[in-house]
Amino acid sequence: KAGVTQTPRYLIKTRGQQVTLSCSPISGHRSVSWYQQTPGQGLQFLFEYFSETQRNKGNFPGRFSGRQFSNSRSEMNVSTLELGDSALYLCASSSGQGAGNTIYFGEGSWLTVV
Amino acid sequence: DQQVKQNSPSLSVQEGRISILNCDYTNSMFDYFLWYKKYPAEGPTFLISISSIKDKNEDGRFTVFLNKSAKHLSLHIVPSQPGDSAVYFCAASARGGSNYKLTFGKGTLLTVNP
């Protein structure tokens, strides 16, 4: 069974630009969530989608957005990039139903903003 | 306010000995707890989880203990191996609508010396 796949793995952007990251969940998983990892803040929850609807949202500014498609694939977008957005962006998937779901992570997309 | 705390940023043990990683939480709504292992430049890998209805869960060399009254959990690795050297994250999720959002601790770097 293929794991969570994220693309691209590495990218460099300039301040003010926007970026779109893509995630394909584990087959059969309907919940996709996104996390940001930085050295100072650790792993922080961005948002979670289930059946194309945003179900949970973390404390990030509106520049961070996402969406989920009917095949459960998800994208996240960051507009007007700032230097502080440089981080590892992790996508995770789970079945999304019932209590105590295990969440599985992809390898991440390393974003560097210069 | 950190709801999940891993107070030891690092831990060093000898190969073959026991590694004990600790985690404290403050949110009484948390009812599912997970441990992840992370190597640099990779996504977190799920290790083991425990529901709040249990106080112990074992999987091979890994055992997680939960003390709900103390809001404390620990991960025991016996025997420790050099390949276990990584950052270990404790994570928690709450019942209800936030069931699919994980709150992470800041991680503990485990080094297992040969």
Side-chain angles (χ1 to χ4, degrees):
Chain A
K1 201 176 195 183
V4 179
T5 307
Q6 291 187 245
T7 56
R9 287 277 282 136
Y10 304 93
L11 67 166
I12 301 174
K13 291 285 188 178
T14 305
R15 268 183 306 176
Q17 285 187 314
Q18 67 93 29
V19 67
T20 299
L21 308 176
S22 182
C23 173
S24 293
I26 291 171
S27 177
H29 283 186
R30 293 168 65 188
S31 168
V32 174
S33 48
W34 290 88
Y35 291 78
Q36 181 197 63
Q37 185 185 19
T38 58
Q41 297 297 321
L43 276 149
Q44 292 192 290
F45 174 78
L46 279 156
F47 28 65
E48 185 249 351
Y49 288 86
F50 180 82
S51 291
E52 301 178 66
T53 300
Q54 187 181 87
R55 205 163 50 166
N56 289 289
K57 189 176 188 308
N59 296 322
F60 278 81
R63 299 186 297 107
F64 292 81
S65 63
R67 60 178 176 167
Q68 187 181 33
F69 302 97
S70 58
N71 61 0
S72 293
R73 195 176 66 83
S74 176
E75 289 180 347
M76 70 161 279
N77 184 278
V78 188
S79 63
T80 321
L81 284 165
E82 300 176 0
L83 295 178
D85 296 333
S86 295
L88 175 64
Y89 289 89
L90 291 157
C91 172
S93 78
S94 74
S95 66
Q97 293 176 301
N101 264 237
T102 298
I103 296 175
Y104 297 92
F105 285 84
E107 299 272 292
S109 293
W110 280 99
L111 170 65
T112 302
V113 182
V114 298
Chain B
D1 176 36
Q2 253 191 293
Q3 297 186 61
V4 177
K5 297 179 187 178
Q6 294 177 255
N7 290 319
S8 298
S10 63
L11 174 68
S12 184
V13 301
Q14 285 299 121
E15 181 178 5
R17 306 293 287 269
I18 184 171
S19 295
I20 300 177
L21 298 119
N22 293 303
C23 178
D24 297 295
Y25 62 97
T26 58
N27 188 339
S28 56
M29 294 293 287
F30 287 149
D31 64 348
Y32 191 61
F33 304 89
L34 308 92
W35 284 93
Y36 287 86
K37 172 181 175 179
K38 188 177 184 301
Y39 295 115
E42 292 184 11
T45 301
F46 169 72
L47 275 176
I48 192 167
S49 62
I50 189 166
S51 162
S52 60
I53 61 173
K54 293 187 173 182
D55 54 20
K56 177 183 173 181
N57 189 25
E58 195 170 352
D59 183 1
R61 296 186 298 115
F62 302 92
T63 303
V64 56
F65 295 92
L66 174 62
N67 182 335
K68 280 185 297 184
S69 60
K71 292 192 175 69
H72 176 84
L73 62 155
S74 61
L75 174 68
H76 293 209
I77 306 173
V78 183
S80 301
Q81 300 172 353
D84 295 331
S85 297
V87 177
Y88 288 78
F89 289 97
C90 168
S93 67
R95 52 184 162 264
S98 300
N99 210 18
Y100 310 105
K101 165 189 168 182
L102 290 179
T103 301
F104 281 86
K106 297 219 179 223
T108 296
L109 173 62
L110 173 65
T111 303
V112 180
N113 301 303

